[in-house]
Amino acid sequence: MATKYGTRKQYLSAISGLQKRGIRVLADIVLNHRMGADKTETLQARTVDPSNRSRILQDLHPVTVWTDYEFPARQGKYSNFHWHWRHFTGTDCTDAHGSRSILMFEGKNWNPHVSGELGNFDYVMGADVDFSSEEVLQELYTWGKWYTETTGVNGFRLDSLKSIDSHFFPQWLAAMHATGNHPDLTLGEYWSGDVFVLKNYLNDCQRCMRLLDVPLHYHLQQAAASNGHYDIRHLFNYTLTDTDPDHAAAFVDNHDTQPGQALESWVMDWFRPQAYASILLNRSRMPVVFYGDLYGLRRGNPPVPFLREMMWIRAHLLTPNIVDLYDEDPQKACWMAWGPHPVIVLFTIADWKQQTVSEPRLAGRTLVDITDPVNTPAFDRQGQVTITCRPGGLAVYVLKEDWQKLQKAAGRFQ
């Protein structure tokens, strides 16, 4: 049976096609909740305060809710497991008057080891999966192994981690790693701008995954909206990329942060090239590029300028040997990636900037700014060069011969 995204055959073909081209595939896994039940069930539940899920507003009372998942079209082909209300901690429900309530089922409690936001952030939407149920745990292991063996994915992107018991993942991911294609890369979405909350979660889950660096995302948003008043020298302070780079995944924006979405926090368009330079050409060990920034968005946003070029530079020129070239100017960012193919980045959140760089080993060599190719400063005999950046702009300097290689590769970007 086809979905709106295609058939099973097309799905598996897309995965194998990407892998044949050297692209590792992550599966976006949503384990926290279920929606679209086949039937209703009548049971006893308590109504909880939506702003404090630990507070009971109404004690046990009868409710009829959508919690019966029998999958009749499946006819037991892939699994004979049927989900019922006992496999969930609660759900939401709209009464005859259109009022929506959060319900916690009789004999249930919200799972521990989740975010303390709103009292307990176990519940998000739909029918909330009970990770304390042995039947549920067995099914999640069975399903995970079947899915991993069937698809051969290389890893996972885990959704809504702040609402899932952190103690579940170390063993589950270890079991998946021993299965099928042995997926060994996991990227988790725990939405918090507090780096200490993220570090606590990493400790709780035994550091079995990387987390999206939400604090860095918010720093990028704040820098863009600051009208030049953000101290760009502190961009990475209190971020996972700075404090725990091996477990961080830096990003600028994603599907959830777009205008109109629940987590709207869009980085202003003028700053997006600088933001991507910060995660692609600096110390981030796993930068994430948003599809909409690479190919453009239907709502009218074009691809981010120079994004493909920066991706090429990271893949072919960049080394992890980053040398900071910051000075007393809080509006200017500057650093160099030293190596056989040096890369120098200069950007500003205000007016025109310049920076003098000394590197005797580059005496006589010519640089090219990929964002303005007529800008070609050269190191003098002593190995000094002064580079510049336009107001509110980005400059990325590479050696002239590396620029020529980039130009040859540019035809493949189209």
Side-chain angles (χ1 to χ4, degrees), residues 175-195:
M176 298 308 107
H177 177 63
T179 303
N181 200 39
H182 306 290
D184 60 357
L185 175 60
T186 301
L187 178 60
E189 182 234 23
Y190 189 112
W191 199 266
S192 173
D194 187 334
V195 69

Side-chain angles (χ1 to χ4, degrees), residues 145-278:
K145 292 177 180 178
W146 168 82
Y147 176 81
T148 302
E149 290 174 346
T150 301
T151 63
V153 293
N154 303 100
F156 308 100
R157 183 265 185 190
L158 299 176
D159 183 74
S160 193
L161 290 185
K162 66 194 298 185
S163 303
I164 300 176
D165 195 307
S166 59
H167 291 188
F168 167 75
F169 286 111
Q171 290 75 27
W172 189 82
L173 288 173
M176 298 308 107
H177 177 63
T179 303
N181 200 39
H182 306 290
D184 60 357
L185 175 60
T186 301
L187 178 60
E189 182 234 23
Y190 189 112
W191 199 266
S192 173
D194 187 334
V195 69
F196 297 105
V197 170
L198 300 185
K199 290 170 74 71
N200 285 337
Y201 185 85
L202 286 171
N203 289 332
D204 286 346
C205 75
Q206 301 176 31
R207 310 176 78 77
C208 64
M209 66 183 76
R210 289 177 179 264
L211 295 181
L212 289 171
D213 195 347
V214 179
L216 177 57
H217 158 73
Y218 280 126
H219 290 190
L220 293 168
Q221 183 202 27
Q222 292 159 11
S226 70
N227 196 27
H229 296 296
Y230 187 92
D231 192 334
I232 204 67
R233 298 170 299 178
H234 303 320
L235 181 67
F236 289 96
N237 286 9
Y238 298 104
T239 66
L240 274 184
T241 298
D242 179 52
T243 61
D244 197 350
D246 289 331
H247 294 91
F251 71 106
V252 175
D253 273 300
N254 60 27
H255 62 290
D256 286 323
T257 66
Q258 297 178 85
Q261 298 301 309
L263 298 174
E264 178 179 339
S265 48
W266 192 251
V267 175
M268 296 174 70
D269 290 350
W270 74 270
F271 188 68
R272 301 183 81 74
Q274 295 95 312
Y276 270 107
S278 297

Side-chain angles (χ1 to χ4, degrees), residues 131 275 385:
F131 284 83
V385 66

